[in-house]
Amino acid sequence: MKILFLTHSFNSLTQRLFVELTRRNHDIAIEFDINDAVSIEAVELFQPELIIAPFLKRAIPETIWRRIPCFVVHPGIVGDRGPSALDWAIMYEKKQWGVTVLQANAQMDAGDIWATENFSMPPVHPTKKSSLYRHQVVEAAVCAVLTAVERFTAGNYAPQPLDYLDPEVHGRLHPPIRQTDRAIDWQCDNTHTVLKKICAADGFPGVLDTIYDASWYLFDAYPEAHLTGEPGNIIAKRNNAICRATTDGAVWIGHLKRKFEKMENDSSFKIAATLALRQLPGNALDSVPEVCYDFFVPGSYNTYRDIWFEQKNAVGYLHFAFYNGAMDTGQCERLRQAYLQAAKQNVKVIVLMGGPDFWSNGIHLNHIEQAASPADESWRNINAMNDLVQTIITNERQLTVAALQGNAGAGGVFLSLAADYIYARESVILNPHYKSMGNLYGSEYWTYLLPRRISRDKTVSLSQNRLPIGAQEAVDMGLIDACFAQDRQVFIEQIERRAEQFAHAPDYPVRLQQKVQRRRCDEQQKPLQNYRKEELHHMELNFYGFDPSYHVARYHFVHKLPHAWTPLYLAKHRRSTY
């Protein structure tokens, strides 16, 4: 069936639905919802049988939904209406929530219901809105959309009208959430309340607050079990985060976005909290103590940590949960040191766990954008990534396993290829390409690592193709070794089981020796340094050359500028018109 995606952006849900429906042999085209005229033109060009709107910020034009069935994916239970569904669900601490697929009509979110899928809400403390969306919402949405498409294809299903008189309909129309609803009163709010407010705004728009007489949006909050202080005061810092006291404890805040008084001057974007506050005059953070966290000391108390290590028997698990999967120069350097330290432990296998939301998305574009010289910071960042990848490739003491709990993109995919074995959750989406970022060439030794796993033809295709691939497709082409388990906890349990089997297998010494021998043979044929030199030659042109495409694309990405058109690799219906 011909299906047009009408969406605000090619976000995680849209990518997952693209993979799932393509896998089922549907013909998918994508159009960004820029304005009515563009959307209407896309319909005329593609002539879809069905339109799916996975992520919209405005209503579908009436001239479209009256002609063609349009399925809107709403992140709320049946009857829930309004633009702040997840925000309110977290704020009200709902125990159950869901996703509803409804048919567009004259009223927003009030059309006939084609499918719905509910899920249990996780506890407030670890639940950021952005994480809730990427996991529970995406999984429920995929199930609901696939059900709705099957029912539509069968042609014998009658969608259910929304009926608020039905006692089973618990959702209601709610207003857009405002900053006044989210406002933190540091003198009254306890840790639980502060966390709830920031988590309910994570991703977008953040909680507006004041720090050092400047206005900031707060993101990326974590509870702190041990530190206390005067409510509202910044009492500690750690790497990228600040710790702020509450009435009964403290919370860590990982990221900030500056709010300027004049909108025309507001070109800010999210960066690490310590980095943001150091840009203020007065060096206010200098007097705040740095409270270190030893990621090799076992601990189970609540605190902020972006890297930590766990050892179970002969297996070491190295976690790195970086916000949005972005890895700046300092994070790459710290992770490399952690890996080197892990390699000195009494373990036979090191499992690179990434984080629950992302494995890695490569270099940190936001931190590069805010640097005095983005070109110089790009160069430092990619070299730090390369140092990390090289350290993993050349480890001769252990086997390394990459365990992809979350999605991976760009250099993050190639970071995983440095491991000896790669496993992913079934729901993981990979974007193993750089070209969308202004034709960036890429490094991380991808010209060495990728051909070791797939054929030359597939290497060229994969590096040039800008479309996402699912975990199963990655297995089929040999990019990763296996995928299993939808549920993250089940995935982790299976990873632990496999890692233990590797560590205690009778042929472990043989496998390790084969790895060492292969690396030495590869080095004789072409040294790693040559791959790096060749890749960085291209990257130097991207960063410092006459073509500004990378810098322009990065600026658009970081500042989240509205799309002016849909790229042709997504809008297949427009290719013949250019």
Side-chain angles (χ1 to χ4, degrees), residues 78 106 123 174 213 312 367 432 438 528 570:
V78 172
H174 50 70
D213 298 323
K312 298 178 183 179
H367 286 183
L528 274 180
L570 298 176

Side-chain angles (χ1 to χ4, degrees), residues 71-336:
F71 287 178
V72 176
V73 182
H74 178 70
I77 56 176
V78 172
D80 178 83
R81 296 172 58 202
S84 306
L86 294 182
D87 310 62
W88 286 119
I90 295 173
M91 291 288 280
Y92 289 143
E93 301 187 45
K94 296 289 187 181
K95 302 300 182 186
Q96 291 282 323
W97 204 241
V99 173
T100 305
V101 177
L102 49 91
Q103 189 164 340
N105 64 11
Q107 284 187 290
M108 285 288 286
D109 304 331
D112 291 351
I113 298 160
W114 280 84
T116 185
E117 191 77 25
N118 288 352
F119 55 83
S120 297
M121 287 281 283
V124 168
H125 280 188
T127 305
K128 298 180 176 71
K129 181 177 67 170
S130 53
S131 299
L132 182 70
Y133 185 87
R134 293 187 188 105
H135 296 293
Q136 285 86 352
V137 170
V138 166
E139 295 305 323
V142 168
C143 291
V145 168
L146 292 179
T147 298
V149 170
E150 289 174 5
R151 289 170 173 173
F152 180 80
T153 304
N156 57 3
Y157 181 80
Q160 303 300 305
L162 176 59
D163 181 8
Y164 282 117
L165 297 178
D166 185 343
E168 296 299 316
V169 175
H170 301 292
R172 292 294 181 265
L173 173 64
H174 50 70
I177 195 168
R178 303 162 299 173
Q179 284 297 339
T180 52
D181 300 313
R182 308 183 194 270
I184 297 171
D185 184 341
W186 291 96
Q187 304 306 312
C188 295
D189 289 347
N190 61 16
T191 297
H192 178 87
T193 302
V194 172
L195 284 169
K196 181 173 66 174
K197 290 177 177 179
I198 300 177
C199 286
D202 199 69
F204 179 84
V207 173
L208 185 60
D209 197 38
T210 302
I211 303 176
Y212 296 140
D213 298 323
S215 296
W216 304 90
Y217 293 101
L218 314 183
F219 304 88
D220 190 23
Y222 302 84
E224 166 58 42
H226 294 160
L227 301 176
T228 59
E230 184 67 26
N233 285 357
I234 296 175
I235 57 176
K237 62 191 179 201
R238 177 179 298 153
N239 297 321
N240 299 321
I242 58 172
C243 187
R244 201 166 179 187
T246 64
T247 59
D248 63 346
V251 297
W252 289 92
I253 299 168
H255 284 75
L256 301 173
K257 177 183 175 183
R258 184 76 180 273
K259 182 184 186 300
F260 294 95
E261 295 304 317
K262 295 182 179 179
M263 289 299 296
E264 60 268 22
N265 296 329
D266 193 356
S267 59
S268 62
F269 47 88
K270 275 184 265 186
I271 57 176
T274 52
L275 189 63
L277 294 177
R278 286 193 181 103
Q279 296 175 353
L280 293 176
N283 302 317
L285 277 186
D286 288 354
S287 61
V288 177
E290 180 83 22
V291 179
C292 297
Y293 180 87
D294 187 342
F295 39 73
F296 277 81
V297 174
S300 58
Y301 65 92
N302 286 327
T303 192
Y304 165 75
R305 56 183 185 174
D306 57 359
I307 301 173
W308 67 98
F309 179 84
E310 298 174 302
Q311 183 171 340
K312 298 178 183 179
N313 302 319
V315 180
Y317 300 88
L318 185 57
H319 302 258
F320 46 102
F322 300 129
Y323 192 64
N324 289 338
M327 300 170 62
D328 68 14
T329 303
Q331 289 167 324
C332 291
E333 291 170 348
R334 287 193 294 116
L335 183 56
R336 177 175 176 270

Side-chain angles (χ1 to χ4, degrees), residues 489-553:
Q489 191 55 46
V490 174
F491 174 75
I492 291 172
E493 290 169 1
Q494 293 192 29
I495 283 291
E496 291 178 351
R497 190 177 303 119
R498 290 179 183 234
E500 289 284 348
Q501 289 172 351
F502 281 140
H504 297 102
D507 66 344
Y508 174 87
V510 175
R511 291 194 188 202
L512 187 60
Q513 185 56 40
Q514 288 175 339
K515 164 190 170 174
V516 172
Q517 189 59 42
R518 180 184 182 185
R519 172 81 282 281
R520 292 176 181 175
C521 289
D522 288 349
E523 187 68 16
Q524 289 179 349
Q525 292 180 10
K526 183 176 180 177
L528 274 180
Q529 182 58 31
N530 288 4
Y531 289 99
R532 179 169 180 158
K533 183 178 179 180
E534 292 166 4
E535 292 170 2
L536 289 179
H537 171 71
H538 291 280
M539 295 292 272
E540 188 173 22
L541 293 176
N542 289 140
F543 298 157
Y544 296 102
F546 291 108
D547 183 357
S549 298
Y550 158 69
H551 297 290
V552 172

Side-chain angles (χ1 to χ4, degrees), residues 38-60:
V38 168
S39 298
I40 292 169
E41 183 182 51
V43 172
E44 293 296 327
L45 289 171
F46 190 58
Q47 295 292 309
E49 300 164 73
L50 176 66
I51 293 173
I52 295 177
F55 174 44
L56 285 183
K57 292 190 173 182
R58 65 190 199 100
I60 297 173

Side-chain angles (χ1 to χ4, degrees), residues 392-453:
I392 298 170
I393 293 173
T394 57
N395 178 9
E396 296 185 351
R397 295 192 70 245
Q398 288 98 2
L399 295 176
T400 301
V401 175
L404 279 63
Q405 304 175 61
N407 297 347
V413 176
F414 300 107
L415 170 62
S416 73
L417 299 189
D420 304 303
Y421 303 94
I422 310 168
Y423 302 115
R425 279 200 303 140
E426 291 176 352
S427 55
V428 158
I429 297 295
L430 304 176
N431 279 279
H433 50 79
Y434 306 89
K435 289 180 70 65
S436 297
M437 193 49 58
N439 287 314
L440 196 64
Y441 185 79
S443 194
E444 295 98 2
Y445 298 91
W446 75 266
T447 53
Y448 167 66
L449 295 170
L450 196 54
R452 291 202 312 172
R453 285 192 161 266

